Amino acid sequence: QVQLVESGGGLVQTGDSLRLSCAASGRTFSRNAMGWFRQAPGKEREFVASISWSGGHTAYADSVKGRFTISRDNAKNTVYLQMNSLKPEDTAVYYCAADDYSSGYYYAPSSRDAYDYWGQGTQVTVSS
Protein backbone atom coordinates (compact mmCIF):
# COMPACT_ATOMS: atom_id res chain seq x y z
CA GLN A 1 0.00 0.00 0.00
CA VAL A 2 1.43 3.32 -1.07
CA GLN A 3 1.49 6.02 1.57
CA LEU A 4 2.71 9.58 1.69
CA VAL A 5 3.04 10.91 5.22
CA GLU A 6 3.65 14.59 5.85
CA SER A 7 5.17 15.97 9.03
CA GLY A 8 6.67 19.18 10.35
CA GLY A 9 3.65 21.44 10.41
CA GLY A 10 2.74 23.59 13.37
CA LEU A 11 1.88 27.01 14.75
CA VAL A 12 4.48 29.71 14.15
CA GLN A 13 4.70 33.48 14.05
CA THR A 14 5.15 35.75 11.06
CA GLY A 15 8.71 35.60 9.83
CA ASP A 16 9.44 32.17 11.29
CA SER A 17 10.53 29.09 9.39
CA LEU A 18 9.28 25.53 9.13
CA ARG A 19 10.52 22.46 7.31
CA LEU A 20 7.94 20.00 6.07
CA SER A 21 8.83 16.42 5.24
CA CYS A 22 6.96 13.86 3.18
CA ALA A 23 8.00 10.25 3.57
CA ALA A 24 6.79 7.79 0.96
CA SER A 25 6.35 4.09 1.58
CA GLY A 26 5.02 1.12 -0.34
CA ARG A 27 7.04 1.88 -3.47
CA THR A 28 9.90 4.05 -4.57
CA PHE A 29 9.35 7.44 -6.18
CA SER A 30 12.97 7.99 -7.10
CA ARG A 31 12.01 8.31 -10.81
CA ASN A 32 8.87 10.34 -10.26
CA ALA A 33 8.04 14.00 -9.94
CA MET A 34 6.76 15.11 -6.55
CA GLY A 35 5.09 18.24 -5.34
CA TRP A 36 3.56 20.24 -2.52
CA PHE A 37 0.12 21.79 -2.56
CA ARG A 38 -1.86 23.66 0.06
CA GLN A 39 -5.46 24.35 0.88
CA ALA A 40 -6.70 27.19 3.03
CA PRO A 41 -10.21 27.18 4.55
CA GLY A 42 -12.82 27.95 1.92
CA LYS A 43 -10.31 27.86 -0.93
CA GLU A 44 -9.29 25.36 -3.55
CA ARG A 45 -6.14 23.32 -3.24
CA GLU A 46 -3.33 25.23 -4.90
CA PHE A 47 0.12 24.46 -6.19
CA VAL A 48 3.08 25.42 -4.02
CA ALA A 49 6.18 23.72 -5.40
CA SER A 50 7.32 20.72 -7.42
CA ILE A 51 10.55 18.89 -8.15
CA SER A 52 11.64 16.53 -10.89
CA TRP A 53 12.91 13.07 -9.98
CA SER A 54 16.46 14.19 -10.61
CA GLY A 55 16.14 17.38 -8.61
CA GLY A 56 17.29 19.08 -11.79
CA HIS A 57 14.20 21.19 -12.08
CA THR A 58 12.00 22.86 -9.51
CA ALA A 59 8.94 25.04 -9.88
CA TYR A 60 7.24 27.41 -7.46
CA ALA A 61 4.07 29.39 -7.15
CA ASP A 62 4.73 33.10 -7.43
CA SER A 63 3.42 33.60 -3.90
CA VAL A 64 6.23 31.50 -2.37
CA LYS A 65 9.08 32.08 -4.79
CA GLY A 66 12.20 33.20 -2.95
CA ARG A 67 10.86 32.05 0.42
CA PHE A 68 10.22 28.32 -0.01
CA THR A 69 12.61 25.64 -1.24
CA ILE A 70 11.67 22.13 -2.31
CA SER A 71 14.22 19.33 -2.21
CA ARG A 72 14.31 15.57 -2.15
CA ASP A 73 16.38 12.65 -0.96
CA ASN A 74 15.70 9.70 -3.26
CA ALA A 75 17.65 7.34 -1.03
CA LYS A 76 15.15 8.11 1.75
CA ASN A 77 12.15 8.32 -0.56
CA THR A 78 11.43 11.69 1.00
CA VAL A 79 10.66 15.18 -0.25
CA TYR A 80 11.04 18.36 1.80
CA LEU A 81 9.67 21.87 1.80
CA GLN A 82 11.73 24.50 3.58
CA MET A 83 9.52 27.48 4.33
CA ASN A 84 11.14 30.74 5.40
CA SER A 85 9.74 34.21 6.11
CA LEU A 86 6.31 32.75 6.72
CA LYS A 87 3.28 34.99 6.40
CA PRO A 88 -0.28 34.65 7.74
CA GLU A 89 -1.45 34.01 4.17
CA ASP A 90 0.67 30.84 4.16
CA THR A 91 -1.73 29.33 6.68
CA ALA A 92 -3.18 26.16 5.16
CA VAL A 93 -3.09 22.40 5.18
CA TYR A 94 -0.06 21.33 3.17
CA TYR A 95 -0.24 18.20 1.05
CA CYS A 96 2.49 16.13 -0.52
CA ALA A 97 1.84 14.55 -3.91
CA ALA A 98 3.59 12.07 -6.18
CA ASP A 99 3.28 11.21 -9.84
CA ASP A 100 2.65 7.53 -10.53
CA TYR A 101 4.65 7.45 -13.75
CA SER A 102 8.37 7.74 -14.32
CA SER A 103 9.07 10.99 -16.05
CA GLY A 104 11.68 13.16 -17.68
CA TYR A 105 14.77 14.57 -16.03
CA TYR A 106 13.25 18.05 -15.82
CA TYR A 107 9.58 17.14 -15.42
CA ALA A 108 8.04 18.95 -12.44
CA PRO A 109 4.36 19.62 -13.08
CA SER A 110 2.30 22.21 -11.26
CA SER A 111 -1.13 20.80 -12.09
CA ARG A 112 -3.02 18.77 -9.50
CA ASP A 113 -4.13 16.44 -12.26
CA ALA A 114 -0.54 15.34 -12.86
CA TYR A 115 -0.32 13.70 -9.44
CA ASP A 116 -1.74 10.34 -8.49
CA TYR A 117 -0.85 9.89 -4.84
CA TRP A 118 -1.60 12.29 -2.02
CA GLY A 119 -0.80 12.49 1.64
CA GLN A 120 -3.25 13.34 4.39
CA GLY A 121 -1.82 16.79 4.93
CA THR A 122 -0.15 18.72 7.73
CA GLN A 123 -1.48 21.96 9.19
CA VAL A 124 0.63 25.09 9.03
CA THR A 125 -0.67 28.10 10.92
CA VAL A 126 1.13 31.43 10.85
CA SER A 127 0.00 34.00 13.39
CA SER A 128 0.43 37.73 12.87
Side-chain angles (χ1 to χ4, degrees):
Q1 181 182 358
V2 176
Q3 280 191 313
L4 301 178
V5 179
E6 303 95 337
S7 62
L11 172 62
V12 297
Q13 295 185 331
T14 298
D16 285 351
S17 298
L18 279 175
R19 188 194 194 205
L20 305 184
S21 299
C22 171
S25 62
R27 60 162 284 183
T28 178
F29 288 101
S30 61
R31 293 288 179 173
N32 305 78
M34 298 189 74
W36 287 96
F37 291 75
R38 67 186 182 186
Q39 188 167 17
K43 295 187 176 181
E44 290 192 356
R45 193 171 299 188
E46 64 176 6
F47 169 73
V48 175
S50 60
I51 186 167
S52 62
W53 71 261
S54 63
H57 181 68
T58 56
Y60 296 93
D62 287 344
S63 58
V64 307
K65 205 170 291 184
R67 299 187 297 123
F68 290 11
T69 303
I70 188 171
S71 61
R72 66 189 296 162
D73 184 337
N74 287 339
K76 295 182 178 180
N77 221 18
T78 299
V79 65
Y80 305 96
L81 185 68
Q82 177 66 43
M83 306 187 295
N84 298 330
S85 302
L86 283 162
K87 305 175 181 179
E89 50 264 45
D90 294 318
T91 295
V93 177
Y94 283 71
Y95 297 90
C96 172
D99 185 356
D100 190 28
Y101 300 98
S102 297
S103 53
Y105 192 88
Y106 295 110
Y107 182 66
S110 59
S111 169
R112 287 184 302 177
D113 293 341
Y115 295 93
D116 305 285
Y117 297 103
W118 293 85
Q120 292 300 306
T122 185
Q123 176 71 46
V124 172
T125 303
V126 185
S127 64
S128 57

